[in-house]
Amino acid sequence: MNELLFDPDTHRKAGHLLGELLAGYEGDLSNPPGFGQIDRDAMRAIMTEPLPEEGRSLEELFQEFREVVMPNSTHVAHRRFLPYVLPSPNGISAFADALASTLNQNCNLWTLSPAANAIEQRVISWFQDLFSFPEGSGGIITSGGSMANLTALAIARDTYLGTSARMDGLQWRVSPLRLYVSDQVHNCVDKAAVILGIGLNHVRHVPCDSQFRMRMDLLKEAVMQDRRDGFSPFCVVGSAGTVTTGAFDPLDELADFCDEEGLWLHIDGAYGALTVLSERRRPHLQPAGRAHSLSLDPHKFLFASLEAGCVLVRRAEDMRTTYSFVPTYLSMFSDPDFLNYAEYGPQLSRSFKALKVWWSLRAFGRKAYAKAIDDLCDLAEYMEARTEAEPELELLAPVTLNAVCVRCRNLSDGQNERVLARLLSEGVAFLGRAEVKGKFCLRACFMNLRTTRDDVDRILEEMVRFGREEMRV
Ligand SMILES: Cc1ncc(COP(=O)(O)O)c(C=O)c1O
């Protein structure tokens, strides 16, 4: 057998070593590791190692992983790791990823991935149903929310430009395109606007109300003014879960406005859209189904491991208008039951990410996600209530999803930064940095399936203690 391949016994041994390692890792997470303590010598040794001429045994590789890679990794699955919209992954994802690598399907042409194709179609249609996207809509699994937003905004741009899009791009236009977002939008939308040639000067960041929702009156004014000034408004991006506070823009009003004005409505639901899995949260999400395109991230509220994003598009044909290129070397027999996903997005080679999305839903079922989502939002509300009851702490934004923005009331921004740093360096918790209404704050984003109310109590108690110590310095 070729030495790059494993025989059945080696496969079994590797599987056993993997199972042992995963089981041990889960156990270790109950003992809080320090955060951010890195063995720099070990890291330098990795960074300077010469290219190996000979291979190493499985035992050596797993031992090195256990002794060097794991302790120098950020334990995102730890119950007080709360800085970003980055969950502790569900149990099945690691296994789905291993199997996806085993089959190594190329999910571009259906002939290279028939079962994966059926699975991707099915998960997309489950998502379409959750948002009542109509017959004729489409979608594709992406690497994450940033790629989902970029994929959608290219389609929005090209649909506006029509037949000239493919041959002339933006090169012939006198009237610049204008994109409207709120001042709370995730920066990947700005990045997409730059990549797509729209330019930041043509992204209008519309101010928000006191609940961090885009102000409709100011949006309308901006669009009308731009039309009068000779610009070409083409698209509005609403957020279903803004990155800092988890706010939802007024999605129904945005949909009405975009209908009236003939604008493409894209909803960035990377953060919040999948909370639709909870009956309690679903009513907030229903209007998202009126969008022309919607991003959602299974690697957030489906707790799939990185990477798994998704974009839904109201008219699947619009996806093909932007992305379908079929040179002879990629042409394939078409089949009414299957899609060539290479024609629906920017990537050619695509991994079988749909497997972990499919298994995430099949292994646990929707109800388990509804409970997990509700529990995490409840934890955020618990932290909100505890913060409001603590005179030395200040809540900076109402809790609408699972994020809490808090600071020590009588301390400066710099002192609050030091409190955040101490929480991290003393192994209490890893919280995020945020700015709300011009003030620096600490942000806890509850995405972690192990976090309890005791963890919230501990974090707030330590914040108060560190805050008092800062006052004395
Ligand atoms: C609102 C929002 N949009 C987009 C993104 C980017 O998603 P990703 O990190 O999957 O690219 C995030 C990430 O947290 C987000 O919160």
Side-chain angles (χ1 to χ4, degrees):
M1 185 181 282
N2 183 296
E3 60 184 310
L4 295 186
L5 298 175
F6 280 0
D7 60 30
D9 282 343
T10 314
H11 270 300
R12 273 187 208 102
K13 188 158 67 169
H16 178 72
L17 286 166
L18 174 65
E20 285 298 300
L21 192 135
L22 288 180
Y25 183 60
E26 292 287 309
D28 284 349
L29 287 169
S30 54
N31 302 316
F35 288 111
Q37 292 157 1
I38 301 164
D39 178 348
R40 288 190 183 266
D41 290 339
M43 296 300 95
R44 265 184 224 111
I46 290 177
M47 291 189 263
T48 54
E49 188 197 1
L51 178 73
E53 288 294 325
E54 306 292 336
R56 300 206 168 190
S57 71
L58 270 178
E59 285 81 359
E60 278 178 283
L61 294 178
F62 273 85
Q63 187 181 351
E64 183 181 61
F65 188 84
R66 194 188 291 277
E67 290 175 2
V68 181
V69 179
M70 280 172 72
N72 290 293
S73 294
T74 303
H75 295 285
V76 303
H78 183 264
R79 60 184 202 271
R80 291 196 296 276
F81 174 89
L82 307 164
Y84 304 113
V85 198
L86 177 56
S88 44
N90 62 38
I92 199 75
S93 286
F95 299 94
D97 274 347
L99 292 179
S101 296
T102 305
L103 293 182
N104 205 29
Q105 299 294 279
N106 200 336
C107 300
N108 49 12
L109 305 179
W110 75 268
T111 40
L112 302 186
S113 51
N117 198 285
I119 289 168
E120 184 156 355
Q121 288 192 51
R122 193 62 202 142
V123 297
I124 295 285
S125 66
W126 281 337
F127 292 148
Q128 286 166 329
D129 290 348
L130 282 166
F131 295 98
S132 311
F133 261 63
E135 186 72 28
S137 57
I140 189 166
I141 300 286
T142 64
S143 56
S146 306
M147 275 309 294
N149 288 334
L150 177 64
T151 303
L153 291 176
I155 299 167
R157 178 198 61 182
D158 293 355
T159 306
Y160 181 83
L161 294 177
T163 48
S164 59
R166 180 158 292 197
M167 300 313 291
D168 292 313
L170 295 170
Q171 307 287 27
W172 57 279
R173 290 192 61 82
V174 191
S175 162
L177 301 191
R178 284 251 152 136
L179 175 68
Y180 304 82
V181 303
S182 91
D183 61 11
Q184 299 293 308
V185 80
H186 192 277
N187 111 296
C188 69
V189 174
D190 292 320
K191 211 189 236 186
V194 173
I195 295 169
L196 295 172
I198 289 157
L200 288 180
N201 282 339
H202 300 285
V203 181
R204 298 283 301 255
H205 292 88
V206 178
C208 286
D209 63 16
S210 60
Q211 312 282 303
F212 304 96
R213 295 173 305 202
M214 194 191 301
R215 276 191 46 188
M216 288 304 302
D217 55 332
L218 297 181
L219 170 67
K220 287 177 190 171
E221 235 173 79
V223 170
M224 300 314 155
Q225 185 63 49
D226 282 351
R227 286 205 202 286
R228 281 196 294 276
D229 293 344
F231 294 104
S232 299
F234 80 105
C235 176
V236 179
V237 177
S239 299
T242 56
V243 61
T244 302
T245 67
F248 279 55
D249 283 328
L251 304 181
D252 250 331
E253 290 173 56
L254 282 177
D256 289 341
F257 176 68
C258 289
D259 278 353
E260 282 157 25
E261 290 296 323
L263 300 171
W264 183 284
L265 174 61
H266 173 67
I267 295 182
D268 176 9
Y271 180 0
L274 277 175
T275 57
V276 72
L277 292 165
S278 144
E279 291 92 341
R280 244 168 69 186
R281 305 257 140 207
R282 192 165 301 163
H284 301 293
L285 270 310
Q286 229 51 76
R290 297 181 61 194
H292 295 86
S293 51
L294 168 67
S295 300
L296 48 103
D297 255 5
H299 69 206
K300 295 193 170 72
F301 271 118
L302 203 58
F303 307 93
S305 57
L306 297 171
E307 301 168 343
C310 176
V311 60
L312 304 180
V313 179
R314 192 160 207 83
R315 282 176 12 116
E317 269 315 293
D318 293 337
M319 305 178 79
R320 298 186 74 249
T321 303
T322 294
Y323 295 112
S324 175
F325 286 75
V326 189
T328 312
Y329 54 87
L330 290 176
S331 56
M332 254 311 139
F333 319 104
S334 59
D335 186 292
D337 285 334
F338 295 99
L339 299 174
N340 287 326
Y341 277 105
E343 295 181 61
Y344 290 79
Q347 268 181 280
L348 181 55
S349 291
R350 297 177 66 240
S351 65
F352 186 7
K353 294 186 180 66
L355 179 61
K356 67 184 157 197
V357 180
W358 191 56
W359 266 16
S360 290
L361 284 160
R362 281 173 67 77
F364 306 109
R366 184 201 60 81
K367 285 185 188 161
Y369 288 101
K371 178 164 178 351
I373 290 164
D374 290 344
D375 287 351
L376 291 169
C377 293
D378 287 348
L379 266 181
E381 282 175 20
Y382 175 72
M383 183 163 178
E384 176 183 42
R386 288 262 352 243
T387 304
E388 284 182 320
E390 174 52 69
E392 289 171 60
L393 298 178
E394 180 185 357
L395 186 77
L396 280 104
V399 168
T400 46
L401 201 57
N402 65 332
V404 187
C405 293
V406 55
R407 58 183 266 138
C408 294
R409 192 182 290 280
N410 298 316
L411 300 189
S412 66
D413 282 0
Q415 288 171 312
N416 270 290
E417 290 235 29
R418 285 202 289 274
V419 170
L420 175 70
R422 270 191 79 182
L423 288 174
L424 186 63
S425 65
E426 297 192 20
V428 178
F430 194 159
L431 300 191
R433 302 158 55 90
E435 191 187 304
V436 177
K437 296 179 193 149
K439 284 182 176 174
F440 175 83
C441 63
L442 290 67
R443 174 171 170 279
C445 183
F446 294 96
M447 292 299 288
N448 199 295
L449 299 166
R450 294 174 177 82
T451 313
T452 64
R453 288 185 170 208
D454 288 347
D455 294 312
V456 173
D457 293 342
R458 164 110 195 266
I459 291 168
L460 293 179
E461 278 153 23
E462 297 288 42
M463 265 190 82
V464 169
R465 183 165 74 88
F466 295 158
R468 283 182 192 156
E469 288 174 13
E470 273 298 324
M471 298 267 274
R472 273 187 237 124
V473 175

